[in-house]
Structures are given as C-alpha cells and as structure tokens.
Amino acid sequence: MATVLVASNRGPVSYKLGEDGTLTPRRGGGGLVSGLSAVSADDSQESLWVCAALGEGDREAVRRGVGEPGVRMLDIPPDVYADAYNGIANSVLWFLHHHLYDISREPVFDAEFRRRWESYRAYNRAFAEALAAEASEGAEVLVQDYHLALVPGMLRDLRPDLRIAHFTHTPWGSPAYLGMLPDDIREELVWGMLGADELGFHTWQWAAAFVSGASMDTERGVAQGLSPTGTPWRGVEHLRYGVGKGRTTVRAYPLGVDAEELRALAHRPEVDEKLAALRAEVGDRRTIVRVDRTELSKNILRGLLAYRELLTTHPEWRDRVVHLASAYPSRQDLESYRSYTAAVRTLAEEINTEFGTAGWQPVLVSVQDDFPRSLAAYRLADVALVNPVRDGMNLVAKEIPVVSEAGCALVLSREAGAYTELRDDALTVNPFDVSETAEALHTALSMPPSERSDRTKRLAAAATALPPQRWFLAQLEALREPMQPPA
C-alpha cells in the first residue's frame, strides 16, 4: 500500500509497441517526477503514480503486466477515454477555463454532451477507485489537473481517511464562463473539486476565480470565501464544503523552472548544432522568439499580426530582424486545431511574401516538435514574445530569460499566469491589442543592452523562485499540515 500517491492523465513512462511486438519504455521528467523521486528516496515512504494508458503500447503493457515500479496504468476503454479526454476535458473544460468559445456558435450542451460527460465521470471514477484501493490508511494523494476534477469528491466518499490535494495547471474559468455549464454539471464539477483538502492554482487570479464561482453556488452550501493572506505562494483561502465534511484550503503555487537543469539541457551538443544552423540563417540580425504549441489560447496569429504591423510602422527593422516561431502541432485530431495550425502557416507565408527579399526571410516557422531547436532559439533570443489570451502559467516566459545568452527583452501578455511574477521587468501588453504589441516589440528591439541584461537577470531570478521539485514538495508539506476542524 502506498503512503504518497500522484494521479494524472499522463504518467512518467510510456511504451512504444514495435512491429516485432517488443515494448520500449520512454521516461519523462518534470516537477512531478523529481518531486515524487525525492519522496521515494525516503525509506519510510512508499509512492505510487496512477495514470492512464494513452496508446496501444501502454495498453499492451497493461495487458502483459509490464510496468515500472511505483507506476500503475489504467486501461480505460478507448471509447470512454476518447469521450472523456477529447470530448469533455479538451473540448469543454479547456475552452471554458481559457475563455475560447465563439459564443455565437458554442457551447452547445445537448444529449451528446451528456453522453460524453458520463464517460468523463466514468474516467474519473476509475482513477478514484484505483487510488482508494492502493492507498494506505491516512495516505496523501495529489491529483493533477482539469482532466481529473471529479476525483477528489469521489475519492473522499470512498476513503474519508485520506488527505487529498488537487492542482489545476490551467486558469480557472470566470463565474460567467463556468455558468454556461448546465447547473447540475457545474455543481458536480465544484463538488468534485471541493472533495480535496487542498486546492492549488498557479496564481491568485485563478484561485480567486474558483473561489468566486464556488461561492455563488449557495444552494449546495458552498460559500464563505475569505480574502487571501500570507506570502504570494503560501497564502490561504478557506471554503466550507458540504455538511460536516471539513474545509478546503485554496493556495497559489506559481511553478518555476530549474535553472541548473534547463541550462544543462540548453548546452548539449545537439542544441549547439541547432544554434549554429539558426545563426547561419539569421546572420547578424536581431531575433524575436516565440515557442508554443499551436494551441488556440497561445494567440500565435495576433503575434504574427503584431510582427507584420511592426514591419509596416517601423520600416527601419526590415532586413534587421527575424521572427523565430516554433509552433508545435497540438491536438490535431480536433478540426479547430488543424485549421488554426493551417492559419499560422498561411499568415507566416503572407508576411514573408509581403516583406521578404532574396537575402531575408522575415519569419522562420517550425511546426516540428523539436525541443533542441527551441532551446537553441532561447539562447539566441533578443526578444521573447509570449502573448497568450489566457494561460495558467506559461513556462516559456520563464525559461527564455534563464538561458538567453545576450539577455532578452520579454514582451508578455497580462493574461499569462507568469505576469504576476514577471510584470515589473517585462513589457506587458493586452493580448488582443495588436498595435500595442507591435509597439512593445519595437521598444524591446530598441532597448539598450545594459537595460536588457539587467532586466533578464531579474526575470531569471523570479522565474526560478519555486522550481519544480520545491513546487511539488511545498504542496505535499501543506497537505501534511494539521487539519482544521469546521468552524
């Protein structure tokens, strides 16, 4: 039986099924992996990671009983998983939390939505039952993200003895957006979240959005939100939930980056090779760098429009700057994402046609999942453009200042979670204001090297204030604090 458990859609290992039937494991990294490794190093703690089998290789590993120590994969029926993951988590909850809906057409909550919600409920139940079966008496369970928003409530009913935390890696939708959900579904979502003893968000802005929405749901007794207190990442806000169940504590934990690990990754030989190739393409020109998935919330199209306006209103930058845009394809099984990726390609081509010359290509777009190239672009960056319409954190805004070699000016959306920590040394913009963003790019490109260097040092210090392992362990420590009885 495990004393510390993590639950997430994607686990720390995945399996590739070869044509000859062999299974090859691929291991991941990140804050959860390093944090749970630190816990496992303590002989008194036995940890377990519960995750979903995502592909055929994972499913075959489950069928054969192949697995990593400390990892349990759940072979959820493919149709149930598809409905839960794409039909609800990515097509409903993601859109609500990021405020992405085209309101004149979406959302539509009909019988098909209800059918998919039942799959989302079944997917969450599978996790809750697995955690309940694997946890020792009084164990600590850390549930991850919007995919598993119902797990805390389900697990609380199954195992009242457990200490349960949930962390949301996205923003939390405003009450107006969450209010679009059918009343019973919204109440079930809030009930699921409030099954946790601890709820974590990247910023107080997202925590406050949850508190505000939950506090409006007075029919279920979910009220009495109090103001945040304490330091930026240890502030506490209480919500009473249910009748006689206890308290949920809401905190902000702004995830940072591991400077030592990131710099080591950025100076591997394969990154050096990519950097040499980029320098050959760019020449002695300035660089504006962005690295994103082609995710609707990342606002890549308005970023390209701002770059085009920069070249129009400030022609002195023509042939003196190159926009390096890495746009990894994301969720291409959804039509809206496929069309968005195509629009990014088309707009980049239009800019190159309008302004390009025989010796200068204004935009260099990469739509390949090429992490070494992205790290090379980080090192080369004079300006970093991070302009999401809404983002839980956006670690790119923190990563680029850490590895930029000459120092970079950061143009940052005020709707990124990272804005709270980085705004003093970034050039902040309204992500919908293309003209403001174009002028911020001009200011960034014109910034004196000494100012740019000083800002970058302060940005890097803020970006590394709560690195992944500390971020994870801080949540575990909070979960271990003595429980407060209901008032």
PDB file of all heavy atoms in Angstrom, residues 409-431:
ATOM      1  N   ALA A 409      14.664  40.886 -23.969  1.00  0.00           N
ATOM      2  CA  ALA A 409      13.534  41.681 -23.502  1.00  0.00           C
ATOM      3  C   ALA A 409      12.284  40.827 -23.645  1.00  0.00           C
ATOM      4  O   ALA A 409      12.081  40.199 -24.692  1.00  0.00           O
ATOM      5  CB  ALA A 409      13.412  42.958 -24.320  1.00  0.00           C
ATOM      6  N   LEU A 410      11.453  40.792 -22.614  1.00  0.00           N
ATOM      7  CA  LEU A 410      10.261  39.943 -22.607  1.00  0.00           C
ATOM      8  C   LEU A 410       9.022  40.779 -22.862  1.00  0.00           C
ATOM      9  O   LEU A 410       8.710  41.690 -22.091  1.00  0.00           O
ATOM     10  CB  LEU A 410      10.146  39.221 -21.259  1.00  0.00           C
ATOM     11  CG  LEU A 410       8.883  38.387 -21.020  1.00  0.00           C
ATOM     12  CD1 LEU A 410       8.765  37.254 -22.039  1.00  0.00           C
ATOM     13  CD2 LEU A 410       8.864  37.838 -19.595  1.00  0.00           C
ATOM     14  N   VAL A 411       8.314  40.469 -23.952  1.00  0.00           N
ATOM     15  CA  VAL A 411       7.003  41.052 -24.231  1.00  0.00           C
ATOM     16  C   VAL A 411       5.976  40.036 -23.755  1.00  0.00           C
ATOM     17  O   VAL A 411       5.890  38.931 -24.297  1.00  0.00           O
ATOM     18  CB  VAL A 411       6.823  41.368 -25.725  1.00  0.00           C
ATOM     19  CG1 VAL A 411       5.413  41.887 -26.000  1.00  0.00           C
ATOM     20  CG2 VAL A 411       7.870  42.389 -26.182  1.00  0.00           C
ATOM     21  N   LEU A 412       5.199  40.403 -22.744  1.00  0.00           N
ATOM     22  CA  LEU A 412       4.389  39.433 -22.006  1.00  0.00           C
ATOM     23  C   LEU A 412       2.941  39.876 -21.890  1.00  0.00           C
ATOM     24  O   LEU A 412       2.648  41.001 -21.480  1.00  0.00           O
ATOM     25  CB  LEU A 412       4.980  39.243 -20.606  1.00  0.00           C
ATOM     26  CG  LEU A 412       4.273  38.272 -19.664  1.00  0.00           C
ATOM     27  CD1 LEU A 412       4.327  36.848 -20.203  1.00  0.00           C
ATOM     28  CD2 LEU A 412       4.884  38.340 -18.268  1.00  0.00           C
ATOM     29  N   SER A 413       2.039  38.962 -22.195  1.00  0.00           N
ATOM     30  CA  SER A 413       0.607  39.205 -22.027  1.00  0.00           C
ATOM     31  C   SER A 413       0.252  39.309 -20.548  1.00  0.00           C
ATOM     32  O   SER A 413       0.717  38.525 -19.718  1.00  0.00           O
ATOM     33  CB  SER A 413      -0.190  38.059 -22.653  1.00  0.00           C
ATOM     34  OG  SER A 413      -1.532  38.068 -22.214  1.00  0.00           O
ATOM     35  N   ARG A 414      -0.603  40.258 -20.241  1.00  0.00           N
ATOM     36  CA  ARG A 414      -1.067  40.398 -18.851  1.00  0.00           C
ATOM     37  C   ARG A 414      -2.017  39.269 -18.470  1.00  0.00           C
ATOM     38  O   ARG A 414      -2.390  39.138 -17.296  1.00  0.00           O
ATOM     39  CB  ARG A 414      -1.748  41.747 -18.674  1.00  0.00           C
ATOM     40  CG  ARG A 414      -3.037  41.908 -19.432  1.00  0.00           C
ATOM     41  CD  ARG A 414      -3.516  43.346 -19.422  1.00  0.00           C
ATOM     42  NE  ARG A 414      -4.850  43.501 -20.012  1.00  0.00           N
ATOM     43  CZ  ARG A 414      -5.353  44.655 -20.417  1.00  0.00           C
ATOM     44  NH1 ARG A 414      -4.626  45.753 -20.306  1.00  0.00           N
ATOM     45  NH2 ARG A 414      -6.562  44.716 -20.927  1.00  0.00           N
ATOM     46  N   GLU A 415      -2.420  38.420 -19.430  1.00  0.00           N
ATOM     47  CA  GLU A 415      -3.299  37.288 -19.144  1.00  0.00           C
ATOM     48  C   GLU A 415      -2.536  35.985 -18.965  1.00  0.00           C
ATOM     49  O   GLU A 415      -3.148  34.934 -18.802  1.00  0.00           O
ATOM     50  CB  GLU A 415      -4.329  37.126 -20.273  1.00  0.00           C
ATOM     51  CG  GLU A 415      -5.296  38.296 -20.384  1.00  0.00           C
ATOM     52  CD  GLU A 415      -6.091  38.540 -19.103  1.00  0.00           C
ATOM     53  OE1 GLU A 415      -6.514  37.540 -18.475  1.00  0.00           O
ATOM     54  OE2 GLU A 415      -6.266  39.702 -18.723  1.00  0.00           O
ATOM     55  N   ALA A 416      -1.218  36.020 -18.998  1.00  0.00           N
ATOM     56  CA  ALA A 416      -0.415  34.840 -18.664  1.00  0.00           C
ATOM     57  C   ALA A 416      -0.259  34.755 -17.158  1.00  0.00           C
ATOM     58  O   ALA A 416      -0.097  35.776 -16.476  1.00  0.00           O
ATOM     59  CB  ALA A 416       0.961  34.941 -19.328  1.00  0.00           C
ATOM     60  N   GLY A 417      -0.292  33.541 -16.616  1.00  0.00           N
ATOM     61  CA  GLY A 417      -0.092  33.393 -15.184  1.00  0.00           C
ATOM     62  C   GLY A 417       1.238  33.977 -14.733  1.00  0.00           C
ATOM     63  O   GLY A 417       1.346  34.522 -13.634  1.00  0.00           O
ATOM     64  N   ALA A 418       2.264  33.892 -15.599  1.00  0.00           N
ATOM     65  CA  ALA A 418       3.594  34.397 -15.262  1.00  0.00           C
ATOM     66  C   ALA A 418       3.623  35.911 -15.093  1.00  0.00           C
ATOM     67  O   ALA A 418       4.582  36.452 -14.525  1.00  0.00           O
ATOM     68  CB  ALA A 418       4.589  33.987 -16.348  1.00  0.00           C
ATOM     69  N   TYR A 419       2.598  36.605 -15.564  1.00  0.00           N
ATOM     70  CA  TYR A 419       2.552  38.073 -15.475  1.00  0.00           C
ATOM     71  C   TYR A 419       2.716  38.553 -14.031  1.00  0.00           C
ATOM     72  O   TYR A 419       3.418  39.534 -13.770  1.00  0.00           O
ATOM     73  CB  TYR A 419       1.218  38.555 -16.054  1.00  0.00           C
ATOM     74  CG  TYR A 419       0.879  40.000 -15.771  1.00  0.00           C
ATOM     75  CD1 TYR A 419       1.395  41.021 -16.555  1.00  0.00           C
ATOM     76  CD2 TYR A 419       0.012  40.337 -14.729  1.00  0.00           C
ATOM     77  CE1 TYR A 419       1.074  42.353 -16.307  1.00  0.00           C
ATOM     78  CE2 TYR A 419      -0.314  41.657 -14.464  1.00  0.00           C
ATOM     79  CZ  TYR A 419       0.217  42.658 -15.259  1.00  0.00           C
ATOM     80  OH  TYR A 419      -0.105  43.970 -14.997  1.00  0.00           O
ATOM     81  N   THR A 420       2.088  37.878 -13.091  1.00  0.00           N
ATOM     82  CA  THR A 420       2.128  38.317 -11.695  1.00  0.00           C
ATOM     83  C   THR A 420       3.553  38.440 -11.184  1.00  0.00           C
ATOM     84  O   THR A 420       3.901  39.410 -10.498  1.00  0.00           O
ATOM     85  CB  THR A 420       1.346  37.327 -10.816  1.00  0.00           C
ATOM     86  OG1 THR A 420      -0.008  37.257 -11.273  1.00  0.00           O
ATOM     87  CG2 THR A 420       1.353  37.771  -9.356  1.00  0.00           C
ATOM     88  N   GLU A 421       4.406  37.493 -11.538  1.00  0.00           N
ATOM     89  CA  GLU A 421       5.782  37.486 -11.041  1.00  0.00           C
ATOM     90  C   GLU A 421       6.744  38.298 -11.911  1.00  0.00           C
ATOM     91  O   GLU A 421       7.741  38.807 -11.405  1.00  0.00           O
ATOM     92  CB  GLU A 421       6.295  36.048 -10.979  1.00  0.00           C
ATOM     93  CG  GLU A 421       5.517  35.138 -10.048  1.00  0.00           C
ATOM     94  CD  GLU A 421       5.825  33.702 -10.354  1.00  0.00           C
ATOM     95  OE1 GLU A 421       5.160  33.117 -11.233  1.00  0.00           O
ATOM     96  OE2 GLU A 421       6.760  33.163  -9.731  1.00  0.00           O
ATOM     97  N   LEU A 422       6.461  38.390 -13.210  1.00  0.00           N
ATOM     98  CA  LEU A 422       7.442  38.947 -14.147  1.00  0.00           C
ATOM     99  C   LEU A 422       7.115  40.349 -14.640  1.00  0.00           C
ATOM    100  O   LEU A 422       7.924  40.959 -15.350  1.00  0.00           O
ATOM    101  CB  LEU A 422       7.583  38.012 -15.360  1.00  0.00           C
ATOM    102  CG  LEU A 422       7.921  36.549 -15.081  1.00  0.00           C
ATOM    103  CD1 LEU A 422       8.102  35.799 -16.396  1.00  0.00           C
ATOM    104  CD2 LEU A 422       9.154  36.413 -14.204  1.00  0.00           C
ATOM    105  N   ARG A 423       5.962  40.888 -14.274  1.00  0.00           N
ATOM    106  CA  ARG A 423       5.492  42.122 -14.893  1.00  0.00           C
ATOM    107  C   ARG A 423       6.422  43.316 -14.669  1.00  0.00           C
ATOM    108  O   ARG A 423       6.499  44.200 -15.519  1.00  0.00           O
ATOM    109  CB  ARG A 423       4.091  42.464 -14.387  1.00  0.00           C
ATOM    110  CG  ARG A 423       3.991  42.686 -12.881  1.00  0.00           C
ATOM    111  CD  ARG A 423       2.551  42.883 -12.455  1.00  0.00           C
ATOM    112  NE  ARG A 423       2.424  42.982 -10.999  1.00  0.00           N
ATOM    113  CZ  ARG A 423       1.257  43.048 -10.375  1.00  0.00           C
ATOM    114  NH1 ARG A 423       0.133  43.030 -11.068  1.00  0.00           N
ATOM    115  NH2 ARG A 423       1.210  43.113  -9.059  1.00  0.00           N
ATOM    116  N   ASP A 424       7.141  43.358 -13.548  1.00  0.00           N
ATOM    117  CA  ASP A 424       7.978  44.527 -13.263  1.00  0.00           C
ATOM    118  C   ASP A 424       9.125  44.674 -14.256  1.00  0.00           C
ATOM    119  O   ASP A 424       9.598  45.794 -14.496  1.00  0.00           O
ATOM    120  CB  ASP A 424       8.548  44.447 -11.841  1.00  0.00           C
ATOM    121  CG  ASP A 424       7.482  44.671 -10.771  1.00  0.00           C
ATOM    122  OD1 ASP A 424       6.400  45.174 -11.126  1.00  0.00           O
ATOM    123  OD2 ASP A 424       7.741  44.326  -9.606  1.00  0.00           O
ATOM    124  N   ASP A 425       9.587  43.562 -14.819  1.00  0.00           N
ATOM    125  CA  ASP A 425      10.729  43.617 -15.729  1.00  0.00           C
ATOM    126  C   ASP A 425      10.377  43.192 -17.154  1.00  0.00           C
ATOM    127  O   ASP A 425      11.267  43.072 -17.995  1.00  0.00           O
ATOM    128  CB  ASP A 425      11.866  42.758 -15.189  1.00  0.00           C
ATOM    129  CG  ASP A 425      12.497  43.387 -13.957  1.00  0.00           C
ATOM    130  OD1 ASP A 425      13.149  44.437 -14.112  1.00  0.00           O
ATOM    131  OD2 ASP A 425      12.317  42.851 -12.849  1.00  0.00           O
ATOM    132  N   ALA A 426       9.091  42.963 -17.416  1.00  0.00           N
ATOM    133  CA  ALA A 426       8.631  42.650 -18.769  1.00  0.00           C
ATOM    134  C   ALA A 426       7.960  43.877 -19.375  1.00  0.00           C
ATOM    135  O   ALA A 426       7.612  44.834 -18.675  1.00  0.00           O
ATOM    136  CB  ALA A 426       7.657  41.477 -18.727  1.00  0.00           C
ATOM    137  N   LEU A 427       7.797  43.853 -20.692  1.00  0.00           N
ATOM    138  CA  LEU A 427       6.970  44.835 -21.386  1.00  0.00           C
ATOM    139  C   LEU A 427       5.606  44.176 -21.552  1.00  0.00           C
ATOM    140  O   LEU A 427       5.454  43.253 -22.350  1.00  0.00           O
ATOM    141  CB  LEU A 427       7.578  45.185 -22.747  1.00  0.00           C
ATOM    142  CG  LEU A 427       9.000  45.748 -22.706  1.00  0.00           C
ATOM    143  CD1 LEU A 427       9.569  45.869 -24.115  1.00  0.00           C
ATOM    144  CD2 LEU A 427       9.020  47.097 -22.015  1.00  0.00           C
ATOM    145  N   THR A 428       4.629  44.587 -20.752  1.00  0.00           N
ATOM    146  CA  THR A 428       3.366  43.872 -20.696  1.00  0.00           C
ATOM    147  C   THR A 428       2.344  44.474 -21.656  1.00  0.00           C
ATOM    148  O   THR A 428       2.320  45.684 -21.881  1.00  0.00           O
ATOM    149  CB  THR A 428       2.804  43.861 -19.263  1.00  0.00           C
ATOM    150  OG1 THR A 428       2.611  45.193 -18.811  1.00  0.00           O
ATOM    151  CG2 THR A 428       3.778  43.157 -18.324  1.00  0.00           C
ATOM    152  N   VAL A 429       1.512  43.589 -22.212  1.00  0.00           N
ATOM    153  CA  VAL A 429       0.577  44.005 -23.261  1.00  0.00           C
ATOM    154  C   VAL A 429      -0.785  43.360 -23.056  1.00  0.00           C
ATOM    155  O   VAL A 429      -0.909  42.302 -22.435  1.00  0.00           O
ATOM    156  CB  VAL A 429       1.104  43.624 -24.666  1.00  0.00           C
ATOM    157  CG1 VAL A 429       2.386  44.379 -24.992  1.00  0.00           C
ATOM    158  CG2 VAL A 429       1.318  42.116 -24.799  1.00  0.00           C
ATOM    159  N   ASN A 430      -1.794  44.028 -23.595  1.00  0.00           N
ATOM    160  CA  ASN A 430      -3.123  43.447 -23.773  1.00  0.00           C
ATOM    161  C   ASN A 430      -3.023  42.491 -24.960  1.00  0.00           C
ATOM    162  O   ASN A 430      -2.691  42.914 -26.066  1.00  0.00           O
ATOM    163  CB  ASN A 430      -4.116  44.576 -24.052  1.00  0.00           C
ATOM    164  CG  ASN A 430      -5.496  44.088 -24.424  1.00  0.00           C
ATOM    165  OD1 ASN A 430      -5.728  42.895 -24.645  1.00  0.00           O
ATOM    166  ND2 ASN A 430      -6.439  45.010 -24.531  1.00  0.00           N
ATOM    167  N   PRO A 431      -3.288  41.192 -24.770  1.00  0.00           N
ATOM    168  CA  PRO A 431      -3.057  40.234 -25.855  1.00  0.00           C
ATOM    169  C   PRO A 431      -3.941  40.453 -27.076  1.00  0.00           C
ATOM    170  O   PRO A 431      -3.631  39.951 -28.162  1.00  0.00           O
ATOM    171  CB  PRO A 431      -3.340  38.882 -25.204  1.00  0.00           C
ATOM    172  CG  PRO A 431      -4.268  39.192 -24.072  1.00  0.00           C
ATOM    173  CD  PRO A 431      -3.823  40.532 -23.558  1.00  0.00           C
TER     174      PRO A 431
END
